[in-house]
Amino acid sequence: MLRPVLYAVFISSAIALPETGWYPKYHIAPQHGWMNDPNGLIYFQGFYHVFWQYNPAAPQWGLMHWGHARSPDLLTWEHLPIALAPSLPEDIDGAFSGSAVLLNETLTLIYTGVSENGTRQVQMVATSQDGVAFEKLGVVIGENETNFRDPKAWWQDGSWYVVIGAQTADERGQVSLYSSPDFFNWTPQGVLAQADPSLGYMWECPDFFSLEGKQVLVVNPQGIQSKGEDFQNLFQTGYFVGSWAPGGNFAVERGFRELDHGHDFYASQTFDSPDGRRLEIGWLGMWESQFPENASGWAGMLSLPRELTLSDQGDLEVRPLREIQSLRTERLEVPQTLHITPGEGVAILQNISHSEMALDFNLRNSSSNAFAIQLTKESFERDGGAQVHVDRNCSRVFLERHYPAYNITRSSRSVAVNLTGNLSLDIFIDGFSMEVFVNDGQAVMSSRIYPDAELRTFLITAQNGSVAVDRLKVWDLYLSIINAI
Ligand code: FRU
């Protein structure tokens, strides 16, 4: 008879974790344990630094640390030691989300310390000279608040500013603004924005930045009710566009809209690249959902870095980081227009695991009013899988998934797209993620998918007529993720 304690040791060292093919090859994911929000995105001393909400102890959310990786080019990532671990009375229940700035050549983090069983949230600072080892300097903003977290700081016109996610006394989401001459002594500057009752009870992870002469406020509301096809996820990442100058009010010109239209995109953060692009990374996940990869000892993934621009109409345009193209190894190029007719569908390729597919549909030469790009076995209806379904009757693009083996029931998300001319789709698959960029920046949809090996065939199907694909290219994408130093 084995004693229980020995039995537990035997189990953990002897059982190989399942190999699912879900571990990403060009996205950041934890090597073990749990990941949620990206934090502290910054370029410092020749490296892009990405931190994340991290539970090293188990592949579920738990005591929050800051995981850490860096990259010279946003392509090749090196995992580094944990940057922040709960250690002080004020962060003993967790080092929650926050951001990074460069303060007198020092990499400086501002993050939320959680204590008193999660009921007290304060803002704390830590610094690093080398970008690897961090020293905590303690609390800099300490109100007695339960929902007061996720500071995002920036420098503007001779002063530091920070926006913090908060809640009003009658439980509506709010963004609080503070300013400081030195990053340590902060003065409240009032409320930057507040939810009307339909926009949620708490706003997490605010982000506030200027883009092409406008000011963009990103918030992550909890508690918005779904409305038709919109706000279908438990929580959303969305944005307002308006104008603002230090000392003034944020005058909203365009109301709240979702930033990503898939099942899994949350708590994104933006930062400046040295060449002046506004880049964004989000968590490819959603609270209170299944994370089947955790059977392998790790859970979570960050999105591809994305480039944000603002259209003349005030819509955020989202494109994949252009450097990603350098990872491409060509797998397939269809040299002439492909006509897909109703029937069984055209199977294009098998074993799509870590790939990019670019498709241009010529809708003027297409009679079909509904067609789909599928990742399935032979039939999405029968076998499940994932599909991007284009419906010209309602002018929407749907991203649908169905993985009954992992208790992920069939559901779709959608976005309105003008479907009169051409439609271009740039689809990234990496292990268990699918990110669909529509019409060069017009919309993006990100969802987690959980295909077993046999559910990785890429098919195109059409209903009630044919569809013309003018361009079809597939690449495999690879990069190396280096282990911890
Ligand atoms: C958002 C969030 C943040 C918090 C963190 C905790 O996903 O709830 O508000 O800081 O995750 O891990």
Side-chain angles (χ1 to χ4, degrees), residues 89-109:
E90 295 89 352
D91 67 9
I92 203 67
D93 293 332
F96 274 20
S97 286
S99 56
V101 299
L102 199 56
L103 179 67
N104 305 326
E105 302 306 310
T106 302
L107 175 52
T108 304
L109 309 180

Side-chain angles (χ1 to χ4, degrees), residues 443-463:
V444 58
M445 311 179 81
S446 308
S447 296
R448 285 174 299 138
I449 59 174
Y450 289 99
D452 292 329
E454 77 276 10
L455 279 174
R456 292 188 180 278
T457 299
F458 164 37
L459 290 166
I460 307 182
T461 60
Q463 289 167 19

Side-chain angles (χ1 to χ4, degrees), residues 348-368:
I348 306 290
L349 281 173
Q350 292 184 318
N351 300 325
I352 294 284
S353 300
H354 307 280
S355 309
E356 175 186 355
M357 292 112 87
L359 303 105
D360 287 340
F361 293 93
N362 185 330
L363 299 183
R364 291 201 180 82
N365 289 346
S366 301
S367 53
S368 168

Side-chain angles (χ1 to χ4, degrees), residues 154 161-164 175-179 187-192 244:
W154 74 100
Y161 291 90
V162 68
V163 281
I164 303 174
V175 175
S176 300
L177 178 70
Y178 287 71
S179 70
T187 311
Q189 298 294 333
V191 172
L192 186 78
W244 179 81

Side-chain angles (χ1 to χ4, degrees), residues 248-452:
N249 292 327
F250 176 47
V252 176
E253 292 160 16
R254 302 273 324 249
F256 186 76
R257 281 167 296 160
E258 287 169 271
L259 225 168
D260 185 296
H261 299 268
H263 295 80
D264 294 292
F265 187 82
Y266 195 62
S268 71
Q269 192 172 100
T270 68
F271 63 111
D272 283 315
S273 67
D275 63 2
R277 284 174 287 167
R278 177 58 53 170
L279 304 182
E280 180 203 32
I281 297 179
W283 174 41
L284 283 186
M286 187 47 59
W287 293 109
E288 293 176 37
S289 60
Q290 307 285 336
F291 288 85
E293 72 273 24
N294 65 13
S296 302
W298 59 277
M301 186 196 296
L302 300 183
S303 74
L304 277 183
R306 298 161 177 198
E307 300 183 8
L308 298 184
T309 50
L310 202 64
S311 76
D312 294 342
Q313 292 71 39
D315 301 316
L316 272 185
E317 299 166 318
V318 188
R319 295 183 177 82
L321 180 84
R322 66 192 67 161
E323 287 89 327
I324 296 293
Q325 293 174 14
S326 69
L327 301 178
R328 289 170 169 172
T329 300
E330 191 169 316
R331 179 123 176 241
L332 175 83
E333 174 163 19
V334 177
Q336 72 284 323
T337 300
L338 192 65
H339 293 276
I340 307 211
T341 48
E344 286 298 294
V346 175
I348 306 290
L349 281 173
Q350 292 184 318
N351 300 325
I352 294 284
S353 300
H354 307 280
S355 309
E356 175 186 355
M357 292 112 87
L359 303 105
D360 287 340
F361 293 93
N362 185 330
L363 299 183
R364 291 201 180 82
N365 289 346
S366 301
S367 53
S368 168
N369 51 17
F371 52 93
I373 299 94
Q374 304 177 329
L375 201 65
T376 183
K377 190 175 172 192
E378 286 168 7
S379 147
F380 177 82
E381 294 297 325
R382 193 187 60 222
D383 306 321
Q387 69 166 350
V388 179
H389 176 79
V390 181
D391 189 333
R392 294 170 80 188
N393 295 326
C394 62
S395 285
R396 294 191 86 87
V397 174
F398 294 79
L399 176 45
E400 192 167 10
R401 68 179 180 194
H402 187 204
Y403 296 98
Y406 301 102
N407 283 332
I408 296 176
T409 50
R410 185 169 176 176
S411 68
S412 65
R413 299 290 182 265
S414 80
V415 60
V417 175
N418 180 344
L419 293 175
T420 47
N422 286 354
L423 171 70
S424 80
L425 299 177
D426 196 0
I427 303 176
F428 292 82
I429 309 270
D430 192 16
F432 70 93
S433 67
M434 184 160 182
E435 292 166 276
V436 181
F437 294 85
V438 182
N439 279 352
D440 188 31
Q442 220 178 74
V444 58
M445 311 179 81
S446 308
S447 296
R448 285 174 299 138
I449 59 174
Y450 289 99
D452 292 329

